[in-house]
C-alpha cells in the first residue's frame, strides 16, 4: 500500500484544499476513511476512537459552517486521535475565505504530524459518500497494483496487545485488504479460520466448500456461483492449509501469493506457538470462531450461550492445578454447565447458567475459605451477564488492560465486577484526555482538606456507602464520618452518593487515585 495523503489531495473532491497544520505528515499512508462529527462527539464515537478499537492509517472527514473551533480547541484531543493511528482530518467548509487556525491548535497538530486540511465544498450537493467513494477507489486501485502487504499487516498485528496477536486478526486485515471473504481450510476440508467481508456479509461456507470439492484442484478457477460471487483457492506453500477467496472481484494470482505469504508468516508466529488443540478458552480469546465451535461441540459447551464468567488472576508461582481444581469444585455448586482453563496465567471460567446475586456472594465467601491459601494470592473478576462469544473477549480485554487501574482505584478489593473495570477504563481515559471537567474537579478536590477527600474515597469507593465501614476503615467514629459528609454536602450542594449528581464526583475520585495512588497528599486548608 502506498496511497499517501499528498496523492489524495490530487482527487477532485480534495483538489481545492489548504493544509493548515501537520504538513510533515503529507507522506503518511492512508488505508481507510471515516466521518466524525467533532462538534457533537457522542459517547459511541469516543468509544470508537480508542487505540484498541479504531483503524490505523485512518483519515477523518468532518465539516464546519463557520470559524467554530469547539471541535478542536482541546489540543489533547488531537494528540489522542494521533495515538489511535489517525492520519489527520479533512474539514469541509462553506465560503470563499479559508478559516484561520488558532496558533495553539496548529502547534499541537504539528507536534504529532497530525494533518489538518481545509477543503472547500465545491458543490452544494456534494456528499460524504462521494468523497469516501473517491478515496477508497484510489486505495483499492493502489492495492491491486501493489499487493505486497505482508510486512505492513504483520507489523500492525505485532503492535497490538498480546491477547490480540493471532492468525484471526491477520485474516481480518487481509479480508479488508483484498475486499473478499477469506477462509483457511485444512487437508480434511475443515475450516480453521474464516472472516467475512464486509463484516455483515452472510457467507454459506459449507455450500462453498462443496462447490470447491467438486472441482479438480488443478482445474480452472475462479468459479462463479449463481449469485455472482467468485471463488478462488490457493494452497499455502509447504503447508496443509488452503485459503479460499470469496468476493465479487476476481483475485489475481499475485494477490493470492501475497495473502498466502502473509498467512504463512502469521501461522509461524501465532498459529502454533503454545497451541493446545483442545483448549476451548484459547480458541475463544484468540477469535478462532470455527475451532471454538468445533471444540464446543466436543465438550458440549456452546460459547455463544455463555451467560456468566469468572477470571482469576494470580502470580506465576501459584499451583495452577490445585487452584483450578478448587475453583471448579466451588463453581460446580452453582452451575453444572461450565468449562474452565488457563490462558496467560489467568483461569477463565465460563457458565451457560446465569448466577444470581446471592450465588455470587456465596461464591466469594466460599472462595475466601480456601484452606490452601491459594485464594489469598488471587484477584477475581466476575461478570454476571456475558453476551456470548464477543462478551467473553470483551471481558478478557477489560481485565488485560484495566485491572491494574481498577486495583489502584479500589485498593481494598480482591473481588471485582465487570462494571468496576468499565469504571476504571472511564477514569483512565478521562485522565489521558485531561478534559476541562476533570481538571475542574481535581482543583476542587485539591482545595479540600485531606481528611474530607479521604472520607469521600472511603465512603464512595471503598465501602458501599456505609458509614460504619467507612469509620472502621479510617479509624474514626461514625459521627465523625457523618459530620464530614454533611460538610461536603454543604460544599458541593448535593449529597455524596446520590445519583446522578454524584456521577462526576465518583469519576473524579477515581482519577484522583490514579494520579496519586495511595500516597497521602499534604493537608490543605479549606
Amino acid at each position: 500500500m502506498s496511497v499517501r495523503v499528498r496523492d489524495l489531495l490530487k482527487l477532485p473532491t480534495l483538489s481545492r484544499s489548504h493544509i493548515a497544520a501537520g504538513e510533515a505528515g503529507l507522506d503518511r499512508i492512508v488505508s481507510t476513511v471515516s466521518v466524525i462529527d467533532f462538534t457533537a462527539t457522542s459517547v459511541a464515537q469516543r468509544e470508537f476512537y480508542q487505540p484498541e478499537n479504531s483503524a490505523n492509517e485512518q483519515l477523518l472527514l468532518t465539516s464546519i459552517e463557520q470559524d467554530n473551533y469547539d471541535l478542536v480547541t482541546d489540543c489533547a484531543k488531537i494528540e489522542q486521535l494521533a495515538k489511535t493511528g489517525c492520519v489527520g482530518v479533512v474539514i469541509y467548509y462553506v465560503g470563499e475565505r479559508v478559516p484561520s487556525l488558532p496558533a495553539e491548535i496548529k502547534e499541537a497538530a504539528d507536534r504529532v504530524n497530525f494533518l489538518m486540511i481545509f477543503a472547500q465544498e465545491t458543490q452544494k450537493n456534494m456528499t460524504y459518500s462521494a468523497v469516501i467513494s473517491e478515496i477508497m477507489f484510489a486505495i483499492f486501485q493502489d492495492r491491486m497494483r501493489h499487493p505486497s502487504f505482508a510486512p505492513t499487516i504483520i507489523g500492525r498485528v505485532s503492535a497490538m496487545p498480546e491477547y490480540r496477536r493471532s492468525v484471526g486478526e491477520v485474516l481480518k486485515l487481509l479480508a479488508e485488504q483484498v475486499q473478499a471473504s477469506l477462509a483457511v481450510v485444512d487437508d480434511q476440508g475443515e475450516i480453521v479460520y474464516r472472516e467475512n467481508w464486509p463484516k455483515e456479509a452472510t457467507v454459506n461456507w459449507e455450500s462453498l466448500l462443496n462447490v470447491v470439492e467438486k472441482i479438480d484442484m488443478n482445474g480452472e478457477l475462479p468459479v462463479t456461483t449463481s449469485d455472482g460471487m467468485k471463488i478462488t483457492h490457493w494452497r499455502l506453500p509447504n503447508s496443509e492449509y488452503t485459503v479460499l477467496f470469496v468476493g465479487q472481484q476476481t483475485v489475481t494470482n499475485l494477490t493470492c501469493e501475497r495473502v498466502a505469504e502473509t498467512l504463512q508468516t502469521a501461522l509461524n508466529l501465532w498459529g502454533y506457538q503454545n497451541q493446545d488443540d483442545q483448549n476451548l478458552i484459547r480458541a475463544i480469546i484468540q477469535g478462532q470462531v470455527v475451532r471454538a465451535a468445533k471444540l464446543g461441540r466436543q465438550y458440549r459447551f456452546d460459547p455463544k450461550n455463555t451467560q456468566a464468567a469468572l477470571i482469576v488472576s494470580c502470580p506465576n508461582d501459584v499451583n495452577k492445578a490445585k487452584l483450578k481444581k478448587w475453583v471448579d469444585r466451588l463453581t460446580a455448586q452453582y452451575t453444572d454447565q461450565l468449562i474452565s482453563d488457563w490462558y496467560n496465567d489467568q483461569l477463565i471460567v465460563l457458565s451457560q447458567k446465569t448466577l444470581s446475586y446471592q450465588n455470587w456472594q456465596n461464591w466469594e465467601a466460599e472462595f475466601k475459605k480456601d484452606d490452601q491459601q491459594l485464594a489469598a494470592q488471587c484477584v477475581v473478576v466476575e461478570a454476571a451477564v456475558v453476551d456470548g462469544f464477543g462478551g467473553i473477549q470483551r471481558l478478557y480485554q477489560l481485565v488485560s488492560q484495566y485491572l491494574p487501574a481498577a486495583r489502584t482505584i479500589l485498593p481494598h478489593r480482591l473481588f471485582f465486577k465487570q462494571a468496576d473495570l468499565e469504571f476504571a477504563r472511564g477514569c483512565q481515559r478521562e485522565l489521558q484526555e485531561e478534559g476541562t471537567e476533570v481538571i475542574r474537579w481535581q482543583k476542587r478536590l485539591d482545595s479540600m482538606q485531606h481528611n474530607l477527600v479521604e472520607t469521600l474515597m472511603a465512603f464512595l469507593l471503598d465501602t458501599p456507602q456505609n458509614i460504619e465501614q467507612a469509620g472502621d476503615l479510617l479509624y474514626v467514629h461514625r459521627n465523625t464520618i457523618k459530620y464530614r459528609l454533611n460538610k461536603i454536602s454543604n460544599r458541593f450542594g448535593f449529597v455524596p452518593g446520590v445519583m446522578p449528581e454524584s456521577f462526576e464526583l465518583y469519576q473524579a475520585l477515581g482519577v484522583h487515585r490514579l494520579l496519586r495512588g495511595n500516597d497521602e497528599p499534604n493537608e490543605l486548608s479549606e
Side-chain angles (χ1 to χ4, degrees), residues 378-392:
C378 300
V379 176
V380 180
V381 176
E382 306 162 355
V385 180
V386 176
D387 186 17
F389 202 102
I392 301 167

Side-chain angles (χ1 to χ4, degrees), residues 414-449:
L414 289 179
F415 295 92
F416 292 85
K417 307 296 185 185
Q418 183 171 351
D420 295 325
L421 272 67
E422 299 276 9
F423 176 67
R425 177 178 64 172
C427 292
Q428 189 160 302
R429 289 181 175 176
E430 287 292 332
L431 178 60
Q432 291 170 344
E433 293 179 5
E434 296 181 348
T436 54
E437 200 64 24
V438 173
I439 294 173
R440 183 174 68 85
W441 267 105
Q442 291 310 306
K443 287 181 178 179
R444 295 182 75 175
L445 293 175
D446 285 340
S447 68
M448 294 170 60
Q449 286 181 317

Side-chain angles (χ1 to χ4, degrees), residues 155-215:
R156 287 171 65 179
V157 175
S158 297
M160 292 178 179
E162 185 176 357
Y163 61 84
R164 290 185 61 188
R165 298 173 201 162
S166 65
V167 179
E169 287 289 345
V170 171
L171 205 65
K172 288 179 184 178
L173 296 177
L174 284 173
E176 179 186 341
Q177 176 71 27
V178 301
Q179 298 188 346
S181 297
L182 302 176
V184 178
V185 185
D186 62 19
D187 280 343
Q188 285 71 49
E190 295 284 341
I191 295 178
V192 182
Y193 304 95
R194 70 184 181 198
E195 184 66 29
N196 293 357
W197 188 91
K199 196 72 177 176
E200 62 275 8
T202 301
V203 180
N204 189 336
W205 289 106
E206 184 176 348
S207 174
L208 292 175
L209 282 174
N210 291 333
V211 172
V212 172
E213 285 178 2
K214 295 176 183 178
I215 305 170

